Every structure is written in C-alpha cells, then in structure tokens.
Amino acid sequence: MKYWFLATLVMLGVTSQAQIHNRQQRFVEIGGGFVDGLSIQKTNNQGYSFQFHLGKFGKKEGIWQFGATGQRMYYPINVDAISILSTVDNYLLEGSFLPVLFKTNDRTFYLHALLGAFVGYERVQDAGKRVGDVTVVSKSAFVFGSIPGLQAELNLSRRIAITGKVQGYYMTEMSTVQNFHVRAGIGLRYNYFKSR
C-alpha cells in the first residue's frame, strides 16, 4: 500500500512540473519597480514604474509577452539660479521575447534573457510652468526604442510565480529629457490554460 502512495506522490510531482511553461498556458502579470535608482521619493533623475503584461509560453519554454508600462521620473530644471523638480511621465506599449538561459531540473527557477521593443508617449508635466519671470520651455514627445534585460522567475506552484527583472530602455534620441533608463522591479504572475 505504501508503494502505491509513494508512486502517486511521484506522479503528482511530475505532472505539476510538466505544467510549468506548458505551450498551452497563458499568463497575466502585474509588477512595479524603480527607475534609474532605488527611491520612490521625489529624487533627482529617479522615479518608479508599474507594469501589466499578458503572455504565453512558446517553443523551448521561451516567453512571449505584451503589455503596458507607466513610469514617472523627476528631473531638476535650473532657471535663472532657481531649481525646480520637473515631473516626466512615460506611457509605453511594449512587446518582448524571453529565451531561457538557465533552469533548474525541477523547473522551480528560470533565468531569461529579455529582448524587446516599445513605443509610447513622454509627457513633461511642467512644460509652460512659470518660475519667477521665466517660463520653463520643454516639450512632450512620442518615443520608441529597444529593451534589453534579464528576468529571474521563481515558480511557487504551476499557477503562481514571482519574477524579478532588470531592463534597459533606449529611446533612440527622441526623449526630451534622457535617452536611456534602467529599471529594476518585481512582479506577480498568474498562469492559466487557454480554453479550447
């Protein structure tokens, strides 16, 4: 009797592992993080971000994901020896592919490369703001570019995973403030099977 019990446990474990990164699975992921630093306060040249992604698992356990990102950053602007902290918002649509670089045998931990692109809008909130007798001259702009990075994934079950990522955002000379950003953050992913 005990052998049947042990065999059942082994089969359940194998089945659970087989349902991680299954090509029939889809996922929803939400997350947040820091931009160009590790502060969520109004700090020069730093900020924070939020993300929402939908995705699916592909061949060789790679990941295709598409989603939206909002990030807010703060930059000092000096006008006639007066310094103000300007707020810059990015609203981005992005897509990326994440091939597997490393995984454990039990599929609990994965390390992925991240290769992606984005398009979006950058808004400088303080454009037109008056400082003394001077009006701050700045403009908003459409932006696009590439996203290289790394992502780590810890699977708590076949449905729930925690992710951590470091990404670079290169805006191809279109940003009115800064063309390259580094973002680090964590996320929570829920996996589900597509209905047939």
Side-chain angles (χ1 to χ4, degrees), residues 97-115:
F97 175 66
L98 294 83
V100 176
L101 296 179
F102 170 81
K103 68 175 180 179
T104 56
N105 290 332
D106 60 1
R107 294 183 175 179
T108 299
F109 178 81
Y110 284 80
L111 181 66
H112 301 271
L114 191 153
L115 308 167

Side-chain angles (χ1 to χ4, degrees), residues 12-30:
L12 287 173
V14 171
T15 301
S16 177
Q17 291 175 17
Q19 292 180 343
I20 295 175
H21 280 237
N22 188 299
R23 290 187 65 184
Q24 300 299 321
Q25 279 184 319
R26 305 292 187 266
F27 66 82
V28 177
E29 183 177 333
I30 58 173

Side-chain angles (χ1 to χ4, degrees), residues 20-183:
I20 295 175
H21 280 237
N22 188 299
R23 290 187 65 184
Q24 300 299 321
Q25 279 184 319
R26 305 292 187 266
F27 66 82
V28 177
E29 183 177 333
I30 58 173
F34 303 101
V35 181
D36 296 334
L38 297 176
S39 174
I40 58 174
Q41 297 179 350
K42 291 185 176 182
T43 307
N44 293 356
N45 303 324
Q46 296 185 32
Y48 55 89
S49 68
F50 296 97
Q51 293 178 299
F52 174 80
H53 284 120
L54 300 173
K56 67 176 185 176
F57 301 101
K59 292 181 179 179
K60 298 182 180 179
E61 302 189 64
I63 298 173
W64 291 95
Q65 65 182 21
F66 306 91
T69 294
Q71 58 187 32
R72 170 164 287 187
M73 298 155 290
Y74 301 95
Y75 293 91
I77 297 177
N78 295 311
V79 180
D80 289 350
I82 299 175
S83 180
I84 66 170
L85 204 58
S86 180
T87 304
V88 179
D89 293 329
N90 289 155
Y91 306 99
L92 309 175
L93 296 175
E94 54 189 58
S96 53
F97 175 66
L98 294 83
V100 176
L101 296 179
F102 170 81
K103 68 175 180 179
T104 56
N105 290 332
D106 60 1
R107 294 183 175 179
T108 299
F109 178 81
Y110 284 80
L111 181 66
H112 301 271
L114 191 153
L115 308 167
F118 68 88
V119 61
Y121 182 70
E122 179 180 86
R123 183 179 69 173
V124 181
Q125 287 196 357
D126 295 310
K129 183 175 181 178
R130 293 189 64 83
V131 180
D133 295 328
V134 179
T135 300
V136 177
V137 178
S138 190
K139 63 179 181 178
S140 301
F142 286 99
V143 294
F144 65 88
S146 58
I147 314 171
L150 289 173
Q151 175 176 290
E153 171 188 329
L154 179 64
N155 288 283
L156 305 180
S157 70
R158 68 186 182 92
R159 292 193 180 274
I160 304 296
I162 296 174
T163 62
K165 63 186 70 176
V166 177
Q167 301 166 276
Y169 282 76
Y170 179 61
M171 296 189 174
T172 60
E173 306 296 331
M174 299 191 68
S175 172
T176 59
V177 182
Q178 184 174 323
N179 293 322
F180 185 76
H181 301 282
V182 176
R183 186 168 70 205

